[in-house]
Every structure is written in C-alpha cells, then in structure tokens.
Amino acid sequence: MFKITSPIFFLFLLLIGNGAKASTADTLSVTIEKHELQKKDTLFFECNYKFQDPTKSKITLNVVIENLVKTKQWKFRYPLINGNSTPGIIIGDNIPDGKYAITYILQNDFLKVKGKIKDFDVKSKGINYLLLTKNKDSYIGFLSPQESGYFTTPKMIFEDTARIVFSETGKKNQRLYIDLETYLDSTFTPIARVTDFINIGKLDTLKDKAIVENYQFDPNTNKKFTLNEVTVKSVAKKKVELFDEEYASGLFKFGFPQIFDGIEGTQIGNAMDIFSFLQGRVAGLKVNRDAFGNYNLKWREANVDIYLDEFKVENEMASYVNTNDIAMVKVFPPMSGGPTGNGTIAIYTKRGAYYTENSTRKYNFQVIGYTPDISTWK
C-alpha cells in the first residue's frame, strides 16, 4: 500500500537490464551558455552524456565549482536522465570576482538510501517509511528487510532535503535502531569527468591565465585554516543551546520562542506524547482532542502550525514521535517570530552528538536530495 500526494515528484526508476553491447566509448560534453558573468547572472549549462549501456540512463551529475587558489569549493548535484541535464545556477552577491573552475563528474548511481536494522526480528511484518519533502510532498512506502536487517529503498527524486521516518508495521511504540546511508553520499569512482572555466566580474587576466594552465581538479580538496590564538572566557552553554545553534536554521533561528529541553531535561521523555507535554505549559495554547483522539491545537482561535525537524507536518504525525527522541521544542507565540505569524511549534529530534550512547531508537533521518534546477550559488 502506498500513497503519492504529488505523482511527479517521486519516481520509481527501474533499470532496463543488459541490452546491446557497447560498440563505442561513452562521451560526456558540457556546453556553457556564456563564460563571462556578473553577480546575479544565471550560469546556464547543458550536459549531454552519450552512453551505450542502458543501465546508465538514470545516473547522477555532480558539479563542483572551485576558486583557482583551491581554498573553497561549492557542490551541486542533479539527476541525469537519458543523458541530459540543463540546470541554472544564480551567482550570489557574495561570490568574489575572479576565475572559477567548474568540474562536471558523473556518478553511476541514483538517489536512494540503504540501512541496517539492529537486532532485526525476522518475524517482523516489515517496515513502513514516510518521506516528507520541504515543498510538502509526501510518500508512504513499505519495505521487506532481509533476515540480516539490511534494506534498500527504491530510487527516488526530490529537491533540497527531506525527512524520512521509519516505523515497524503494526506497532506504534517504535524500538527501531537503524544505521542509514545514502548511496550518493558514499565514495564513488567517476565514470566521466570534464572541467571548464568561467569569469565573474573583474579579473587579473595574466595571473589567472597562469593558474588555469596548471589547474588540476582534486576531489579531496579540504584545506583547513588556522587563526591566531585568542583566549575567550565565557559561561558554558547548555546542550540544548548548542543544539539550537547547530540545527535551527532560517526563520526558526530568530524571534522569541519558548524553548523546552529534551536533552538534559526528563519531563518531555516522560510524557505520553509531545502535545500532552505542552498542554498547560504554554500560555494561550489550547490543546484539545476530538472524538477520534486526534489533537486540535489553537492559539487565539487560529490553528497552530506544527514542524518536525523544520518540515511542516500534520498534528497526527508529530504525536507519533517518541518523546524520548525529542531534543528540543521551540514554541513561537503568534507574532513572535518563527516561520509563520499564527503561532508555531517546532519539534527537533535527537541526532549527531546528541544521541546518548545507550539510545535504543534511531529511525528518523534527514536525507539530502538533488539540487533544484534553478538554485543560488552563495
């Protein structure tokens, strides 16, 4: 059983089997609309990949932009279907003038995630997964893991990032602990690669020409820079404050929210669900349940927006999050900041260093998708 709320956003991409044998070498060519650009211009390019093996009809194009002194890289990736891709990258105001190398790298894989369930019960009926994208599309699917606990999702297409939540079929109280990995984020061997150069703004022509002649792309470029030592005395921050600094972003980072701590505090984890925890703790927030047990939240008679890891979700979805897995809740009263003016409850799940060593649950993940067809380089 599955439901697609936006049929075009999610694709099952079936490989076509082994067809005719390759008679000529594959070739990759990239055409840039113009090589001389200014800030706020859009860099348009067309990638064409001629291939013989039909299994290469759905692969991934990685684009790496690098300044010629090799101190900074910007990375983008796009689906390459039937050998064609024509994205555009808007040049941000903060990109310095100069000459840049653009390297186009083909990865013989497509977006999907693989994982392993710790202590998987072979009698399990399988697992469900819910994929929530930033543009509010959603997909519900079903997987049958191997007896060893390994599983792989179908191939998929979505832009930016998404949240994927796993649950065991037929069980509400989840005890899943999953180690997850995305294929596109793993190390790979390129099947083709070409490099081109563009100019932005004013250039030091003679200097750049010499660097271009000696430029070689290095996929392992990751230079670190050391500043002069400075001693700063400050009050140690709480873990929830550090979590907020690291994971809250955009409009969720500003305003005047009421923050509840699920990392060092125990009250959230002891609650039946997050809404029963908030009931009576936030002035002006009305938490009620209808005849079917569904939550109805209002603030000054206006509906409250619920976000899970900064993705907008329905109340029912948020109520199913295990309270022991909640790191932080930010409650924005109306007109106090946050992503909306009606009032917002932003729920953040534990991740990274904020998972405890004895954690027995891990089933909620953020997954990086493809770069939008038109994006901003900044």
Side-chain angles (χ1 to χ4, degrees), residues 237-256:
K237 293 184 177 181
K238 295 181 178 180
K239 289 183 178 180
V240 72
E241 294 176 308
L242 296 173
F243 183 95
D244 187 23
E245 291 178 358
E246 185 173 356
Y247 292 107
S249 63
L251 295 174
F252 294 91
K253 208 171 187 68
F254 305 103
F256 305 95

Side-chain angles (χ1 to χ4, degrees), residues 95 116 118 123 147 156 182 198 232 235 277 304 318 347:
I95 301 300
K116 184 180 187 301
K118 183 179 179 180
K123 296 181 181 179
E147 291 188 1
M156 57 186 76
T182 60
I198 60 169
V232 178
V235 178
F277 166 79
V304 179
I347 303 164

Side-chain angles (χ1 to χ4, degrees), residues 171-187:
K171 295 184 180 180
K172 180 176 179 179
N173 296 322
Q174 300 304 324
R175 290 289 174 181
L176 290 176
Y177 189 102
I178 300 174
D179 288 318
L180 202 73
E181 180 182 357
T182 60
Y183 277 75
L184 295 187
D185 296 326
S186 305
T187 303

Side-chain angles (χ1 to χ4, degrees), residues 274-276 278-279 284-289 294-306 315-316 345:
I274 190 56
F275 297 135
S276 63
L278 291 174
Q279 192 168 21
L285 177 65
K286 298 178 181 178
V287 180
N288 298 304
R289 305 187 80 164
N294 299 318
Y295 278 101
N296 181 18
L297 287 81
K298 287 188 179 294
W299 219 321
R300 299 174 187 171
E301 305 309 317
N303 290 327
V304 179
D305 294 309
I306 310 297
N315 295 354
E316 184 180 5
I345 297 174

Side-chain angles (χ1 to χ4, degrees), residues 101-133:
I102 306 180
T103 302
Y104 306 88
I105 307 167
L106 295 191
Q107 181 177 354
N108 192 21
D109 216 326
F110 213 83
L111 179 59
K112 58 185 175 180
V113 297
K114 58 183 177 180
K116 184 180 187 301
I117 303 172
K118 183 179 179 180
D119 299 327
F120 178 65
D121 182 1
V122 294
K123 296 181 181 179
S124 169
K125 296 178 181 178
I127 58 174
N128 303 309
Y129 63 95
L130 170 66
L131 186 76
L132 301 168
T133 71

Side-chain angles (χ1 to χ4, degrees), residues 32-263:
I32 295 179
E33 188 177 68
K34 58 180 180 179
H35 289 75
E36 306 285 337
L37 301 112
Q38 303 295 326
K39 293 178 178 64
K40 296 186 179 179
D41 284 351
T42 301
L43 168 66
F44 288 105
F45 58 88
E46 181 176 358
C47 176
N48 289 289
Y49 178 52
K50 295 182 179 180
F51 57 91
Q52 302 299 317
D53 184 350
T55 63
K56 295 179 181 179
S57 63
K58 286 95 176 177
I59 58 176
T60 297
L61 169 65
N62 294 275
V63 178
V64 180
I65 303 178
E66 184 174 46
N67 57 12
L68 293 192
V69 291
K70 293 191 174 184
T71 56
K72 192 168 185 180
Q73 285 185 348
W74 295 263
K75 297 181 179 181
F76 309 83
R77 68 184 180 200
Y78 306 93
L80 190 68
I81 300 176
N82 295 326
N84 297 294
S85 183
T86 56
I89 301 174
I90 301 170
I91 300 171
D93 291 331
N94 296 326
I95 301 300
D97 290 350
K99 185 178 283 291
Y100 293 82
I102 306 180
T103 302
Y104 306 88
I105 307 167
L106 295 191
Q107 181 177 354
N108 192 21
D109 216 326
F110 213 83
L111 179 59
K112 58 185 175 180
V113 297
K114 58 183 177 180
K116 184 180 187 301
I117 303 172
K118 183 179 179 180
D119 299 327
F120 178 65
D121 182 1
V122 294
K123 296 181 181 179
S124 169
K125 296 178 181 178
I127 58 174
N128 303 309
Y129 63 95
L130 170 66
L131 186 76
L132 301 168
T133 71
K134 278 198 170 180
N135 62 5
K136 302 179 185 178
D137 286 322
S138 63
Y139 178 85
I140 298 174
F142 173 80
L143 298 169
S144 295
Q146 301 174 15
E147 291 188 1
S148 58
Y150 284 100
F151 65 85
T152 302
T153 67
K155 296 183 178 183
M156 57 186 76
I157 293 179
F158 62 86
E159 295 181 345
D160 206 313
T161 57
R163 175 63 53 182
I164 187 167
V165 183
F166 295 91
S167 61
E168 192 168 359
T169 303
K171 295 184 180 180
K172 180 176 179 179
N173 296 322
Q174 300 304 324
R175 290 289 174 181
L176 290 176
Y177 189 102
I178 300 174
D179 288 318
L180 202 73
E181 180 182 357
T182 60
Y183 277 75
L184 295 187
D185 296 326
S186 305
T187 303
F188 68 95
T189 301
I191 58 174
R193 182 173 66 199
V194 297
T195 297
D196 202 351
F197 299 89
I198 60 169
N199 302 330
I200 298 177
K202 297 179 180 179
L203 305 175
D204 184 344
T205 306
L206 294 177
K207 178 182 176 181
D208 287 337
K209 181 179 179 181
I211 297 177
V212 167
E213 290 175 350
N214 295 292
Y215 176 85
Q216 288 185 335
F217 174 72
D218 181 1
N220 299 313
T221 296
N222 186 21
K223 296 187 176 181
K224 297 181 179 179
F225 302 91
T226 304
L227 300 177
N228 294 330
E229 183 176 346
V230 177
T231 301
V232 178
K233 295 182 179 180
S234 62
V235 178
K237 293 184 177 181
K238 295 181 178 180
K239 289 183 178 180
V240 72
E241 294 176 308
L242 296 173
F243 183 95
D244 187 23
E245 291 178 358
E246 185 173 356
Y247 292 107
S249 63
L251 295 174
F252 294 91
K253 208 171 187 68
F254 305 103
F256 305 95
Q258 185 176 354
I259 297 179
F260 296 94
D261 181 3
I263 299 174

